[in-house]
């Protein structure tokens, strides 16, 4: 290991950095728990409100549309306030909106308002927690971001298992959501103050009067390249997250407690992949890791489309998660390399593609699923399967040339090999 890499891991890392890293892990865990607790109950929400498949697709489409607005607004707030206050406000709010969805009962108007608020605050959380993760990674000087996503996936597993248990013991939606939300809100309030403040995020970066001009200097071309890959990943992720349980229950005839297990398997594989992906990025760089992930993800999605039963589909979801899980976190690292502000402006821009993918995922499945009452979701899953090929063509974009003033991750030649 070179001296510069060693200094990035030990010499410059303080107790304050370790506190911020822990708080960022907590933010990812809370988001994973709340998100999984909600999306794995989509079939139950549909039944509680007697929603048609077309109406359900519109409700699901609302989340990424409004979340995109939340992410864009967050990008503007970062330049003034930094990402910490955005995260400290929006994350407890996500927990509260989940409870509101449970409180909706059969009232569709309350459901629509609650889902819109959920989307708005999710957008703020996604942008701000990724900005914190990039700041932590920059401070440590080595690839760390897939580890944050591994924590998100672990919490997603717990959320999915909780939904399965809640269905098994016949808890109401409100009770199930309230328990998960209480855990998330308590953790957020207990750890949020340890996140990086604005001056810490921007340490060594342009003075406040120069930040606006620096923000305009963030180049769009590398962001569009990795953003396209991000959009494809989240299109597939949206299809699995929003419709995986419904696919298992409605088209593969599984029981309601088995439905959430496809998402659980998907997240279990993501944990494993994200736990080791940082080592692959440090040793070989992002490009080969992204290409391998796309190949494995493609194989998994082919298995999902071809599955004759839930017993085959659930492992196929796992294979898809094993490969696709590396795409999003490496996108955010690439964005950090072209951001001269150090305040997550590029991250917030790339994060918009998260919602582009989710919008397309909800729209594609919502449009195709009604074509066939028996195999509509299966047919819809073909679209993200084919589009994964795009990630291969954008893989080189995951190693962008850093712009002046940005603080890129340690070059491959200087990264530790263990």
């Amino acid at each position: 290991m070179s001296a510069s890499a060693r200094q990035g891991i030990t010499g410059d890392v303080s107790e304050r950095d370790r506190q911020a890293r822990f708080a960022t892990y907590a933010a990812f865990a809370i988001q994973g728990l709340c998100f999984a607790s909600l999306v794995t109950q989509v079939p139950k929400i549909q039944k509680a409100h007697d929603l048609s498949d077309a109406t359900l697709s519109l409700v699901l489409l609302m989340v990424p549309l409004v979340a995109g607005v939340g992410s864009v607004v967050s990008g503007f707030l970062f330049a003034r306030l930094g990402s910490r206050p955005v995260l400290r406000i929006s994350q407890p709010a996500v927990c509260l909106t989940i409870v509101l969805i449970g409180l909706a009962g059969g009232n569709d108007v309350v459901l629509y308002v609650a889902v819109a608020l959920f989307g708005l605050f999710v957008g703020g959380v996604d942008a701000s927690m990724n900005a914190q993760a990039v700041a932590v990674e920059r401070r440590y000087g080595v690839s760390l971001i897939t580890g944050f996503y591994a924590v998100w996936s672990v919490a997603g597993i717990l959320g999915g298992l909780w939904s399965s248990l809640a269905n098994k013991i016949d808890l109401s939606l409100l009770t199930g959501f309230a328990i998960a939300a209480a855990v998330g809100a308590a953790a957020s309030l207990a750890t949020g103050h340890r996140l990086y403040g604005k001056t810490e995020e921007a340490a060594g970066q342009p003075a406040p009067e120069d930040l606006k001009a620096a923000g305009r200097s963030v180049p769009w071309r590398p962001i569009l390249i990795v953003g396209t890959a991000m959009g494809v990943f989240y299109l597939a992720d949206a299809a699995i997250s929003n419709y995986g349980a419904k696919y298992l229950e409605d088209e593969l005839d599984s029981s309601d407690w088995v439905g959430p297990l496809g998402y659980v398997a998907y997240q279990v594989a993501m944990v494993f992949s994200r736990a080791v992906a940082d080592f692959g990025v440090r040793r070989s760089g992002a490009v080969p890791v992204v290409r391998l992930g796309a190949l494995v993800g493609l194989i998994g999605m082919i298995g999902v489309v071809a599955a004759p039963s839930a017993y085959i589909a659930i492992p196929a979801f796992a294979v898809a998660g094993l490969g696709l899980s590396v795409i999003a976190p490496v996108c955010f690292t690439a964005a950090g390399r072209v951001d001269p502000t150090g305040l997550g402006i590029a991250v917030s821009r790339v994060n918009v593609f998260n919602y582009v993918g989710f919008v397309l995922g909800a729209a594609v499945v919502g449009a195709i699923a009604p074509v066939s009452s028996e195999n509509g979701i299966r047919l819809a899953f073909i679209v993200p399967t084919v589009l994964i090929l795009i990630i291969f063509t954008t893989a080189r974009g995951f190693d962008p040339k850093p712009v002046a003033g940005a603080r890129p991750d340690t070059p491959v030649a200087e990264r530790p090999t263990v």
Side-chain angles (χ1 to χ4, degrees), residues 20 35 53 117 128 143 153 163 193 241 260 290 302 306 322 325 336 394:
F35 184 78
D53 286 347
L117 289 173
S128 53
S143 178
S153 295
S163 292
H193 66 286
S241 301
V290 168
I302 291 173
L322 189 68
S325 61
T394 59

Side-chain angles (χ1 to χ4, degrees), residues 75-82 198-199 201-218 339-345 349:
F76 289 111
L77 293 175
F78 291 169
R80 292 179 175 272
L81 306 173
K198 178 184 175 182
T199 56
E201 287 184 88
Q205 298 303 312
E209 60 271 17
D210 299 326
L211 287 175
K212 187 174 182 179
R216 288 195 298 266
S217 71
V218 175
D339 189 343
T341 71
L343 292 174
I345 292 174
R349 291 178 182 176

